[in-house]
Amino acid sequence: MSASALIPIPPVAPNRITAIAYAIEAGQDQPGWRGGGIPYSWGGGHDDVPGPSFGTCLGYQGAIKPCPATRTRGLDCSGLARWVYHLAYGRDVLGRGNTDDHVKRLKKIPSAAARPGDLVFYGKVGKRKVRTHHVGIYVGRGKMINARRTGTEVRIDRVAAVRGFAGYFRYL
């Protein structure tokens, strides 16, 4: 076995966004995180400076009771996207808020034109009304890195694993 066989190779050549997302998913040290798997925390990642933080129980409807967010330092799905984009761009381009707020700052991309680093949203995105419930960072080949739900860590899932696909969106 060669030494290179021991190094995990992402399924597509990563750009800066996906390289950071893969590093976070792998538990590597990042600004604001000393390494290791990052747990899902409802509302986590939404302090003034993007990155893992304690969450909130306001609006929490998860399966784990009582709500663990206020004692769990981690990220929710939009907190992960915000932090990765902050690290990649060197500034908070997505801003505070949730998936509804973030999708409004992006341009919708046809599925055939989606590329690694785009964000994939779930819910309904119309011209007048936006009601989303999840976001992931597209890494290619039908997969995304995301903070899925309470009780999990940042991980890789198939784009089709979440219901309500709304489309791919890009920061321009």
Side-chain angles (χ1 to χ4, degrees):
M1 176 185 276
S2 71
S4 64
L6 301 175
I7 300 170
I9 300 173
V12 290
N15 58 28
R16 184 154 174 73
I17 295 167
T18 56
I20 292 167
Y22 273 116
I24 289 169
E25 188 273 334
Q28 296 175 4
D29 290 4
Q30 297 297 319
W33 188 256
R34 293 185 185 185
I38 300 178
Y40 179 95
S41 182
W42 176 262
H46 296 287
D47 280 348
D48 290 337
V49 176
S53 67
F54 290 99
T56 178
C57 290
L58 186 64
Y60 176 80
Q61 297 177 3
I64 297 175
K65 305 289 186 201
C67 168
T70 57
R71 61 185 186 280
T72 303
R73 187 166 176 260
L75 299 164
D76 68 8
C77 63
S78 58
L80 171 64
R82 181 180 177 218
W83 187 40
V84 168
Y85 270 55
H86 177 260
L87 293 173
Y89 286 96
R91 57 190 167 80
D92 190 8
V93 298
L94 294 180
R96 294 182 72 138
N98 60 24
T99 54
D100 291 350
D101 300 312
H102 292 171
V103 77
K104 293 173 187 174
R105 298 180 181 112
L106 305 168
K107 178 175 174 45
K108 188 168 187 177
I109 303 298
S111 292
R115 62 182 186 221
D118 289 340
L119 295 177
V120 55
F121 283 85
Y122 298 84
K124 302 225 184 259
V125 179
K127 291 187 189 280
R128 296 180 191 202
K129 188 174 182 181
V130 173
R131 181 118 183 158
T132 56
H133 59 84
H134 190 67
V135 62
I137 301 159
Y138 184 60
V139 294
R141 298 190 180 173
K143 294 186 178 179
M144 66 178 165
I145 293 176
N146 68 132
R148 183 83 179 268
R149 64 177 167 258
T150 302
T152 67
E153 293 182 345
V154 171
R155 67 191 201 179
I156 298 172
D157 282 310
R158 291 181 354 268
V159 169
V162 178
R163 292 184 183 170
F165 175 79
Y168 296 96
F169 292 78
R170 185 173 296 155
Y171 176 75
L172 300 174

